[in-house]
């Protein structure tokens, strides 16, 4: 196998600690934005009244990051509402529910990153995106986790590598500059990419 990207939480935390607060927030927001479709697909089936709410919050966060307007939102209140969107567990494994849970958790960590300016919150937001990709890869491969061989196959899966490569790209850009142009470019990329396609979630 080649040199696959890995999710190294300790390394990511160390790197994010040295970045400005806005850069930490943007990395978390990129990971969250790529997962927004997962919640929309879930909400379409199980909670249609909330389908546009999550996307609206994400757009509001991006507008705050790349815009000049002063944001008067009470993000503590928004965080409480977001936490209420976490899907309830079901007896049978429901893929849309699982991926929606990752998406909402990632959004919650992103808002907490905004409120607390702590690198760990951004790391947790990124981890949720990675774990969503990891679970999709496991389902696609149909393997049992735990063995060295299965873990290597899961890590090498294109779905997992795609998300990890995007996280690495976003981090490198933020380490080079936090200019308005860079933040806008990251916003465009995040909205045009998805951690998982509908087909990948449906397997």
């Amino acid at each position: 196998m080649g040199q696959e990207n890995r999710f190294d939480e300790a390394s990511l935390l160390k790197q994010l600690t040295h970045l400005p607060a806005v850069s930490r927030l943007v990395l978390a927001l990129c990971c969250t934005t790529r997962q927004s479709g997962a919640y929309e697909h879930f909400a379409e089936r199980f909670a249609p009244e909330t389908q546009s709410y999550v996307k609206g919050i994400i757009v509001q966060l991006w507008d705050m990051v790349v815009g000049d307007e002063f944001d008067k939102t009470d993000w503590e209140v928004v965080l409480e509402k977001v936490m209420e969107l976490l899907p309830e567990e079901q007896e049978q494994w429901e893929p849309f529910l699982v991926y929606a849970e990752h998406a909402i958790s990632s959004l919650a960590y992103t808002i907490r990153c905004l409120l607390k300016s702590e690198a760990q919150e951004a790391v947790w937001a990124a981890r949720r995106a990675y774990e969503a990709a990891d679970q999709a890869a496991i389902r696609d491969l149909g393997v049992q986790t735990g063995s060295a061989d299965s873990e290597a196959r899961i890590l090498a899966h294109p779905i997992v590598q795609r998300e990890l490569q995007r996280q690495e790209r976003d981090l490198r850009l933020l380490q080079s500059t936090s200019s308005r142009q860079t933040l806008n470019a990251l916003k465009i990329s995040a909205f045009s990419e998805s951690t998982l396609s509908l087909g990948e979630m449906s397997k």
Side-chain angles (χ1 to χ4, degrees):
M1 299 216 177
Q3 291 292 318
E4 289 92 6
N5 286 58
R6 295 177 178 273
F7 188 84
D8 187 334
E9 183 165 332
S11 175
L12 182 58
L13 178 61
K14 182 177 181 180
Q15 293 180 79
L16 287 175
T17 300
H18 296 294
L19 290 180
V22 66
S23 297
R24 295 195 288 266
L25 174 60
V26 167
L27 183 76
L29 190 50
C30 285
C31 295
T32 296
T33 303
R34 285 194 291 270
Q35 294 179 82
S36 61
Y39 186 79
E40 289 180 9
H41 290 306
F42 165 81
E44 182 180 6
R45 292 160 175 77
F46 302 106
E49 70 279 2
T50 69
Q51 188 175 8
S52 62
Y53 181 68
V54 168
K55 191 69 161 286
I57 295 172
I58 292 172
V59 169
Q60 191 175 352
L61 283 164
W62 276 112
D63 288 346
M64 180 185 64
V65 167
V66 301
D68 292 320
E69 295 183 11
F70 178 73
D71 184 83
K72 299 179 181 179
T73 303
D74 187 336
W75 288 102
E76 291 279 6
V77 172
V78 174
L79 179 58
E80 291 178 6
K81 292 181 179 178
V82 166
M83 295 300 292
E84 292 174 357
L85 296 178
L86 283 168
E88 295 182 2
E89 291 186 10
Q90 297 182 1
E91 291 185 8
Q92 291 187 327
W93 201 89
E94 164 56 56
F96 286 106
L97 182 147
V98 172
Y99 300 132
E101 195 270 337
H102 283 305
I104 293 299
S105 296
S106 191
L107 176 57
Y109 287 131
T110 299
I111 295 172
R112 286 173 56 174
C113 183
L114 168 65
L115 292 169
K116 301 167 68 176
S117 298
E118 291 184 2
Q120 184 65 70
E121 303 292 346
V123 172
W124 284 332
R127 171 171 278 282
R128 284 298 191 141
Y130 158 67
E131 288 177 346
D134 185 78
Q135 288 183 318
I138 292 169
R139 285 178 60 78
D140 184 55
L141 293 168
V143 298
Q144 294 292 324
T145 60
S147 71
D149 178 66
S150 64
E151 293 301 327
R153 290 178 64 196
I154 294 165
L155 177 63
H157 195 285
I159 292 176
V160 174
Q161 285 301 303
R162 183 180 64 203
E163 176 59 28
L164 290 177
Q165 287 164 9
R166 288 169 175 171
Q167 291 187 17
E168 179 71 14
R169 174 204 64 198
D170 296 345
L171 178 61
R172 292 289 164 257
L173 277 171
L174 290 166
Q175 287 175 326
S176 64
T177 176
S178 59
S179 68
R180 180 70 55 79
Q181 183 177 6
T182 296
L183 299 184
N184 247 322
L186 286 168
K187 173 185 176 181
I188 292 169
S189 293
F191 276 113
S192 65
E193 300 168 341
S194 296
T195 301
L196 299 170
S197 68
L198 178 57
E200 289 164 346
M201 285 186 281
S202 301
K203 289 186 177 181

